[in-house]
């Protein structure tokens, strides 16, 4: 059933009015006014063909409530909206329906705009952005070229322009080719052939972050491994700072923990093992040291004496070397094993299944701690991409090594015990303890033994302390059409040449066919007259890069574009960045914690290092990050088409209006907990707003002759409730709603308003209570609040009014009448706070002028206190 107030008229009317008067427009002020600004941000949506999901508004309405309150508190609020519109679903939709991705995007954006506008969210639409607009992606491309034209200075720990890279004389001496290669190896954006996660269904390469759990993030298909030349960005150079700077931001603890865990910092050491040939067919190397060394990364250098064999990843380059040189004698067996490993994903290789491996016959390693010769194996549980791609195996103290040693009958030597002298215990023993069987380390606790061994390695030049990260460089190429073209030109003479700034953007060509290819080539590769171009450097024939950027590119910096969305001279005016940045509150999904949130922090830091983001903005883009939970279908299961439990926001708004929808979204449950959609719940909210409406109808009478309209400043009425229970309730509610909004406890703010409205009762609404109630309601139900505000006789928007303040003296919990008896006779009655203690009650009673005459100069015999009622004194 529809509401009993005319929401259709009210909502449309006020939305048009806000639009016309630009009620929610953010004003760019001078930096000196910075304390006035509040920048609230939601993750801008991907405008899919399905339209808005009821999950989207949970975030939008929440930050709308917050920013509306801030605006009423006098802040200059920036709350913008835009479209993260590149991406696979649109491309696939366009292919299927034989339309252009750009046209599909336009249509989807129009639909999303209509839907979002129908919710009355206070976005500043004048700042709308679209990542697929060439005016926007021009700057995304420009930023990519900044990555290309920069290197990371390890000493200073920051990115710098590539021209500042010092080229060693030895390289200069070789010539231009060598200089170019030297630079190319150090660029922040570089091309490399690596094993990538490949989704055979989407026909697209995926970053590790997009293939968590070994399945494609988009379609759920199991990913395969494929070798491909890819553009990569060196996010790993920022690993340390991405962890460290979390200390300076206010993020939910679980968000920080997830990022730290994903970056995966491990302290440990490199250790070099010598190699000897013991059967090599290399002349002179039959039983002699080989020129190679195996370097491993270990987090437990203290266990070096227990390293009884070594394992290399099957892809380790030394394996190739030894096969080529004829050092290993079982090459066929090794080849077969390598083939098998190549087809497995990293995840499969880390699974706790039966261990497999092959010994490299003909070579042995030398443990530097005791000069013992130990066998060298390859096994796929050692990953090529982590650490050095090789390990020292310590089977007594590492689970995987232990299983492997058992499987292949390798030596297991224990070197750490739980306590000194406690010896054998169940192996593997993977905890910390005390070293034994370990020469110089004997008797040391693990922490000390690690330090001592690290010192020893450094002194003897066979290793060094180091820090390792799980984080991988960012695979930045996609072989698809609907993304930003990577603005690089390949010239056979000059190498990779950036497209000159004045030629940006490199726009996508309009084509007939967008289908991806099985070869892993981008569809752009087939468009020859787009691909063929001339080299900006030498003018010779050259080809465009045909890979496009991942859909995370445009969203890595969009929050800065909002600060100055129409600028065509710069991605944003530095003065405007100085005023608005950082974002004060950013809300988004937990699923983006190790994707967008990490990428955009990195991207921002990079621009900040280069001074492209002013220093004054600070080194972090988001001061505060919060996350909403999911809205589930009725009954608590995930909404899905197949279950038929998808709620369409259009239907809800059509039936109940935007205010009910918004308020229900906030009432549905704690913001950070999943909550099922519930039709009874929405009915409850509807009745609440109806009650508010009725309350005003009765109190103010029919327009235009109602009380507030003719006499909005009636002083008597204003004071009518001073000290009354209604006034206390009102002050309490103002306090609670304000605090709940700040703490993002929106559901309890709504229930506080419900209690207030119940308490106000019919006919009890005076001017002060009426105004305060509407101001509290305004962030949640902006339309009805605006309508009733105007009915009170005001001519300007309630959303530009000031937020109500409360009087803490009038927020006192509850009071009761304390009866004071002396020797059984009532001598006084006093109004006291409900939470008064016995001691306080006694002090008050004895100080009473009416009680004093009966107790003064007498000995107190007994005092009985009955909470909430009585204090009985015997003298
Ligand atoms: C010897 C050792 C002894 C290790 C011991 C552990 C326990 P995290 O903490 O994840 O960084 N490792 C190193 N590189 C590897 C690779 N490419 N593939 C598989 N495993 C690798 O783990 C570091 C530890 O994981 C390293 O420390 C190494 O095993 C192994 F009692 O070295 B350890
Ligand atoms: Zn050239």
């Amino acid at each position: 059933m529809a509401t009993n107030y005319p929401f259709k008229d009210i909502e449309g009317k006020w939305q048009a009015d806000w639009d016309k008067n630009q009620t929610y427009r953010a004003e760019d002020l001078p930096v000196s006014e910075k304390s006035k600004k509040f920048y609230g941000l939601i993750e801008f949506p991907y405008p899919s063909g399905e339209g808005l999901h009821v999950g989207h508004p949970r975030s939008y309405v929440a930050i709308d409530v917050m920013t509306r309150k801030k605006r009423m508190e006098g802040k200059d609020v920036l709350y913008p909206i835009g479209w993260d519109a590149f991406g696979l679903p649109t491309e696939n939709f366009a292919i299927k329906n034989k339309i252009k991705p750009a046209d599909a995007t336009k249509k989807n954006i129009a639909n999303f705009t209509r839907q979002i506008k129908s919710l009355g969210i206070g976005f500043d639409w004048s700042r709308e952005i679209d990542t697929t607009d060439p005016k926007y992606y021009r700057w995304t491309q420009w930023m990519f070229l900044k990555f290309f034209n920069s290197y990371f200075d390890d000493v200073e720990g920051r990115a710098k322009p590539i021209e500042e890279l010092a080229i060693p004389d030895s390289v200069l001496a070789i010539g231009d080719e060598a200089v170019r290669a030297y630079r190319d190896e150090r660029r922040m954006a570089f091309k490399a052939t690596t094993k990538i996660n490949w989704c055979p269904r989407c026909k697209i390469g995926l970053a590790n972050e997009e293939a968590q759990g070994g399945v494609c993030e988009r379609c759920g298909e199991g990913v395969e491994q494929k070798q491909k030349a890819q553009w990569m960005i060196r996010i790993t150079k920022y690993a340390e700072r991405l962890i460290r700077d979390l200390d300076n931001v206010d993020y939910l603890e679980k968000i920080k923990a997830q990022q730290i865990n994903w970056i995966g910092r491990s302290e440990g050491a490199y250790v070099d093992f010598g190699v000897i040939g013991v059967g090599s067919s290399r002349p002179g190397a039959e039983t002699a040291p080989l020129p190679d060394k195996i370097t491993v990364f270990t987090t437990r250098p203290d266990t070096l004496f227990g390293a009884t064999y070594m394992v290399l990843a099957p892809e380790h380059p030394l394996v190739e070397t030894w096969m080529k040189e004829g050092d290993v004698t079982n090459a066929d067996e090794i080849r077969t094993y390598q083939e098998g490993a190549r087809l497995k994903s990293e995840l499969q290789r880390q699974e706790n299944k039966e261990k497999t491996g092959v010994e490299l016959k003909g070579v042995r390693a030398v443990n530097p701690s005791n000069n013992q010769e130990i066998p060298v194996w390859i096994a796929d549980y050692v990953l090529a991409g982590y650490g050095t791609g090789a390990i020292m195996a310590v089977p007594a103290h590492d689970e995987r090594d232990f299983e492997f040693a058992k499987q292949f009958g390798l030596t297991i030597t224990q070197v750490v015990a739980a306590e000194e002298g406690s010896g054998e215990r169940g192996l593997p023993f993977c905890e910390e303890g005390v070293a034994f069987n370990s020469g110089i380390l004997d008797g040391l606790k693990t922490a000390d033994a690690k330090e001592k061994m690290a010192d020893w390695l450094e002194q003897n030049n066979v290793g060094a302390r180091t820090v390792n990260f799980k984080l991988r460089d960012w695979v930045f190429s996609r072989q698809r059409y609907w993304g930003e073209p990577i603005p690089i030109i390949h010239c056979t003479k000059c190498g990779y040449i950036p497209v000159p700034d004045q030629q940006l953007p490199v726009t996508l060509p309009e084509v007939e066919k967008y289908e991806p290819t099985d070869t892993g080539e981008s569809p752009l590769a087939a468009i020859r007259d787009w691909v063929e171009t001339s080299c900006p450097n030498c003018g010779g024939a050259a080809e465009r890069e045909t890979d496009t950027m991942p859909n995370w590119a445009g969203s890595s910096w969009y929050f800065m574009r909002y600060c100055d969305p129409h600028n065509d001279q710069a991605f944003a005016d530095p003065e405007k960045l100085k005023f608005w940045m950082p974002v004060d509150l950013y809300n988004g999904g937990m699923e983006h914690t190790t994707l967008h949130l990490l990428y955009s922090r990195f991207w921002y830091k990079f621009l900040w290092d280069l001074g492209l983001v002013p220093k004054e903005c600070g080194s972090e883009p988001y001061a505060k990050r919060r996350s909403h939970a999911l809205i589930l279908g009725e009954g608590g299961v995930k909404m899905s088409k197949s279950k038929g439990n998808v709620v369409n926001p259009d239907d809800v708004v059509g039936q109940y209006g935007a205010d009910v929808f918004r308020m229900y979204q906030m009432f549905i449950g704690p913001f950070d907990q999943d909550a099922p959609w519930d039709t009874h719940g929405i009915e409850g909210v509807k009745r609440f707003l109806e009650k508010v409406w009725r309350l005003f109808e009765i109190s103010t009478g029919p327009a235009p002759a109602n009380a507030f309209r003719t006499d909005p400043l009636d002083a008597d009425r204003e004071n009518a409730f001073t000290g009354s229970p209604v006034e206390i309730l009102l002050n309490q509610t103002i306090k609670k709603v304000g605090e709940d909004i700040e703490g993002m406890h929106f559901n309890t703010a709504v229930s506080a308003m419900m209690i207030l409205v119940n308490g106000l009762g019919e006919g009890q609404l005076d001017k002060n209570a009426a105004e305060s109630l509407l101001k509290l309601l305004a962030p949640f139900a902006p339309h009805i609040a605006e309508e009733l505000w105007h009915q009170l006789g005001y001519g300007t928007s309630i959303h530009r009014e000031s937020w109500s303040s409360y009087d803490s003296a009038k927020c006192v919990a509850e009071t009761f009448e304390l009866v004071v008896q002396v020797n059984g006779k009532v001598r006084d009655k006093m109004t006291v706070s409900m939470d008064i203690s016995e001691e306080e009650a006694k002090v008050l009673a004895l100080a009473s002028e009416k009680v004093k005459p009966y107790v003064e100069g007498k000995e107190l015999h007994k005092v009985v206190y009955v909470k909430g009622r009585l204090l009985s004194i015997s003298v």
Side-chain angles (χ1 to χ4, degrees):
M1 209 193 66
T3 59
N4 70 358
Y5 64 93
F7 75 83
K8 283 219 163 85
D9 305 340
I10 294 175
E11 295 183 353
K13 177 177 79 181
W14 290 116
Q15 283 164 16
D17 180 86
W18 298 331
D19 246 358
K20 195 177 107 227
N21 293 311
Q22 307 220 22
T23 306
Y24 309 118
R25 194 186 173 107
E27 214 187 322
D28 300 315
L29 297 177
V31 186
S32 55
E33 305 281 293
K34 187 157 175 142
S35 63
K36 284 207 186 113
K37 70 102 181 179
F38 186 87
Y39 186 175
L41 184 68
I42 47 97
E43 286 171 346
F44 63 161
Y46 173 68
S48 72
E50 270 107 61
L52 204 66
H53 183 273
V54 279
H56 287 117
R58 197 175 192 188
S59 177
Y60 305 172
V61 174
I63 305 305
D64 193 34
V65 168
M66 180 72 77
T67 51
R68 281 175 184 276
K69 172 172 179 275
K70 299 283 181 194
R71 199 179 284 112
M72 292 173 82
E73 286 172 336
K75 291 276 184 187
D76 179 12
V77 166
L78 172 55
Y79 187 34
I81 178 79
W83 316 106
D84 186 15
F86 275 128
L88 260 193
T90 303
E91 183 170 346
N92 289 339
F93 176 85
I95 291 169
K96 208 165 118 204
N97 296 286
K98 303 212 176 324
I99 53 172
K100 293 184 186 135
D103 293 342
T105 299
K106 273 204 198 79
K107 222 177 106 220
N108 293 345
I109 287 178
N111 189 41
F112 264 71
T113 302
R114 176 190 62 74
Q115 290 189 297
I116 292 176
K117 285 201 164 170
S118 81
L119 301 177
I121 293 175
F123 287 130
D124 178 353
W125 285 92
S126 73
R127 294 178 186 248
E128 181 181 350
I129 58 176
D130 167 5
T131 55
T132 67
D133 181 347
K135 290 199 193 85
Y136 181 92
Y137 73 69
R138 165 190 178 179
W139 297 109
T140 313
Q141 291 177 333
W142 180 84
M143 288 172 188
F144 175 85
L145 292 180
K146 294 291 169 207
F147 283 108
F148 181 78
N149 283 319
S150 306
Y151 76 105
F152 193 83
D153 186 317
D154 289 308
V155 178
E156 290 182 33
R158 65 185 186 94
K160 289 167 133 186
I162 195 87
E163 305 89 67
E164 293 176 25
L165 175 67
I167 314 276
D169 289 343
S170 56
V171 176
L172 282 170
I174 308 175
D176 289 353
E177 276 292 304
V179 172
R180 191 215 292 171
Y182 189 84
R183 283 209 182 99
D184 283 353
E185 276 163 25
R186 286 161 182 79
R187 294 180 188 277
M188 284 293 293
F190 63 105
K191 207 160 190 183
T193 300
T194 51
K195 196 158 168 176
I196 58 154
N197 303 297
W198 175 259
C199 172
R201 174 145 10 131
C202 298
K203 294 179 179 158
I204 194 168
L206 302 167
N208 278 355
E209 294 86 310
E210 297 168 303
Q212 296 182 42
V215 297
C216 170
E217 183 208 45
R218 303 140 205 275
C219 74
E221 184 87 7
V223 298
E224 294 170 2
Q225 305 298 303
K226 208 168 176 149
Q227 291 280 351
K228 228 189 152 310
Q230 304 275 337
W231 283 98
M232 315 265 289
I233 297 189
R234 282 187 216 282
I235 189 172
T236 48
K237 290 289 185 189
Y238 283 74
E240 187 85 50
R241 281 164 62 189
L242 285 168
I243 291 182
R244 198 199 323 131
D245 290 357
L246 286 173
D247 287 346
N248 308 330
V249 290
D250 171 12
Y251 287 13
L252 283 184
E253 274 313 313
K254 63 176 175 181
I255 296 178
K256 287 190 182 183
Q258 268 191 30
Q259 288 210 343
I260 291 169
N261 191 38
W262 183 258
I263 296 168
R265 185 180 193 279
S266 296
E267 284 186 17
Y270 289 131
V271 186
D272 294 334
F273 285 66
V275 186
I276 53 171
V278 289
S280 167
S281 58
R282 197 181 335 182
E286 291 84 356
T287 52
L290 299 184
D292 317 299
K293 58 182 186 197
I294 304 172
T295 304
V296 303
F297 168 67
T298 177
T299 47
R300 293 291 304 270
D302 60 300
T303 62
L304 184 55
F305 285 86
T308 52
Y309 63 95
M310 310 208 62
V311 186
L312 273 52
E315 305 86 344
H316 197 289
L318 278 178
V319 181
E320 291 313 310
T321 309
W322 295 329
M323 293 215 287
K324 210 172 85 217
E325 299 287 349
D327 297 319
V328 289
T329 54
N330 56 338
D332 287 348
E333 202 187 351
I334 292 166
R335 280 268 173 260
T336 312
Y337 188 76
Q338 286 177 322
E339 277 306 304
R342 206 169 56 81
L343 299 172
K344 287 200 199 168
S345 72
E346 283 205 357
L347 193 88
Q348 286 168 324
R349 288 169 58 158
Q350 285 168 293
E351 270 170 10
N352 243 342
K353 284 211 302 258
E354 197 178 291
K355 296 277 175 291
T356 60
V358 174
E359 186 179 353
L360 301 183
K361 302 259 168 64
V363 296
R364 310 266 294 170
V366 182
N367 185 331
S369 67
N370 51 16
N371 290 322
Q372 249 167 38
E373 281 182 28
I374 56 177
V376 181
W377 287 65
I378 54 169
D380 64 9
Y381 77 94
V382 173
L383 304 174
Y386 186 64
T388 62
I391 64 155
M392 62 181 212
V394 184
H397 304 293
D398 181 278
E399 194 84 46
R400 291 162 305 173
D401 299 345
F402 182 78
E403 281 169 34
F404 192 84
K406 280 267 179 222
Q407 177 112 4
F408 295 104
L410 296 157
T411 312
I412 299 173
T413 306
Q414 187 178 356
V415 291
V416 184
E419 286 160 40
E420 199 160 355
S422 74
E424 289 279 331
R425 169 169 150 181
L427 290 181
F429 174 68
C430 302
E431 288 136 61
E432 306 211 332
V434 179
F436 71 103
N437 270 348
S438 294
I440 53 165
L441 304 182
D442 279 354
L444 292 179
K445 288 210 169 94
T446 299
D448 301 329
K450 280 183 182 177
E451 290 305 316
K452 180 139 192 188
M453 180 50 83
D455 287 340
W456 184 87
L457 291 169
E458 287 173 358
Q459 280 152 17
N460 290 279
N461 245 336
V462 285
R465 287 179 172 82
T466 188
V467 175
N468 229 299
F469 295 93
K470 291 246 153 54
L471 187 68
R472 298 280 72 113
D473 278 331
W474 184 5
V475 180
F476 204 70
S477 284
R478 296 293 181 276
Q479 294 73 41
R480 295 297 298 238
Y481 173 83
W482 195 227
E484 303 87 344
I486 291 178
I488 292 282
I489 291 170
H490 299 239
C491 171
T492 39
K493 275 224 312 273
C494 315
Y496 299 122
I497 300 295
V499 172
D501 276 1
Q502 62 277 15
Q503 286 174 29
L504 295 180
V506 177
T507 51
L508 282 165
E510 294 213 0
V511 287
E512 298 305 319
K513 270 183 59 190
Y514 307 97
E515 275 83 350
T517 59
D518 287 310
T519 61
E521 210 59 60
S522 158
L524 290 175
I527 307 161
R528 294 314 298 173
D529 58 351
W530 183 83
V531 173
E532 284 162 19
T533 184
S534 57
C535 169
N537 196 40
C538 71
E543 296 202 343
R544 287 188 192 283
E545 170 62 56
T546 59
D547 283 356
T548 51
M549 300 187 199
N551 61 326
W552 311 107
S555 57
S556 288
W557 67 279
Y558 77 112
F559 47 91
M560 291 194 278
R561 187 65 176 169
Y562 281 141
C563 300
D564 192 13
H566 309 296
N567 196 329
D568 58 8
Q569 301 301 310
F571 71 88
D573 176 347
E575 290 305 304
K576 292 183 183 172
L577 291 176
K578 279 187 214 166
F579 178 67
W580 288 114
M581 290 300 292
V583 172
D584 294 282
L585 171 62
Y586 190 16
N587 190 76
M590 275 310 285
E591 72 276 17
H592 289 139
T593 302
T594 55
L595 292 159
H596 159 67
L597 195 66
L598 195 64
Y599 293 145
S600 56
R601 287 182 62 220
F602 157 62
W603 193 289
Y604 177 89
K605 284 178 182 300
F606 168 76
L607 295 177
W608 189 76
D609 277 357
L610 292 186
L612 297 168
V613 172
K615 290 288 164 241
E616 293 89 333
C617 298
S619 68
E620 283 286 331
Y622 319 118
K624 181 168 171 173
R625 169 77 176 189
R626 291 292 181 272
S627 212
H628 56 277
L630 297 178
I631 290 187
L632 304 170
E634 202 115 16
V637 288
K638 214 176 158 185
M639 277 191 198
S640 75
K641 273 199 199 128
S642 59
K643 293 203 192 75
N645 63 353
V646 175
V647 177
N648 181 341
D650 285 347
D651 297 341
V652 184
V653 172
Q655 189 180 354
Y656 296 97
D659 283 339
V660 172
F661 178 74
R662 293 170 54 106
M663 222 153 177
Y664 176 59
Q665 283 265 351
M666 294 298 94
F667 190 52
I668 195 164
F671 188 58
D672 56 358
Q673 283 171 33
D674 290 352
W677 192 264
D678 170 19
T679 317
H680 297 294
I682 205 163
E683 284 287 332
V685 169
K686 176 192 121 177
R687 281 194 299 274
F688 164 67
L689 286 180
E690 287 175 344
K691 207 175 204 172
V692 170
W693 182 262
R694 221 168 31 238
L695 198 58
F696 276 77
E697 263 182 345
I698 291 163
S699 306
T700 63
N706 65 57
F708 298 133
R709 188 174 293 249
T710 52
D711 191 12
L713 293 169
D714 182 334
D716 290 344
R717 273 182 170 279
E718 210 165 351
N719 294 323
F721 289 93
T722 306
S724 71
V726 170
E727 198 192 22
I728 289 171
L729 178 61
L730 186 62
N731 276 279
Q732 285 174 335
T733 311
I734 294 171
K735 180 170 190 283
K736 174 140 182 71
V737 171
E739 288 171 357
D740 279 355
I741 292 176
E742 287 300 324
M744 301 184 79
H745 307 301
F746 304 107
N747 58 329
T748 51
V750 174
S751 40
M753 283 186 270
M754 290 174 166
I755 293 169
L756 173 65
V757 168
N758 283 337
L760 283 173
E762 293 179 350
Q764 274 202 303
L765 196 63
D766 79 331
K767 174 180 165 288
N768 179 43
E771 290 186 2
S772 297
L773 169 61
L774 290 183
K775 286 181 179 179
L776 293 180
L777 199 61
F780 295 84
H783 309 86
I784 197 172
E786 187 80 301
E787 174 68 20
L788 292 174
W789 182 253
H790 280 74
Q791 285 188 20
L792 288 184
Y794 293 102
T796 52
S797 175
I798 190 171
H799 303 299
R800 289 282 180 179
E801 282 297 319
S802 59
W803 185 247
S804 300
S805 54
Y806 59 88
D807 179 348
S808 16
K810 290 176 185 163
C811 291
V812 196
E814 275 161 64
T815 55
F816 70 97
E817 198 176 48
L818 178 69
V819 177
V820 184
Q821 292 181 345
V822 180
N823 288 347
K825 285 214 171 82
V826 175
R827 296 298 177 192
D828 197 5
K829 291 175 180 172
M830 46 181 72
T831 304
V832 298
S833 160
M834 200 66 200
D835 44 18
I836 193 170
S837 69
E838 173 171 352
E839 203 42 47
E840 287 166 335
K842 203 170 121 186
V843 171
L844 276 180
L846 294 178
S848 155
E849 291 303 326
K850 292 182 185 158
V851 176
K852 267 187 191 161
Y854 304 97
V855 292
E856 253 167 6
K858 301 191 174 133
E859 195 183 322
L860 292 192
H861 187 53
K862 195 172 160 196
V863 179
V864 177
Y865 175 60
V866 183
K867 194 170 192 292
R869 282 233 314 274
L870 163 103
L871 189 81
S872 171
I873 304 170
S874 315
V875 293

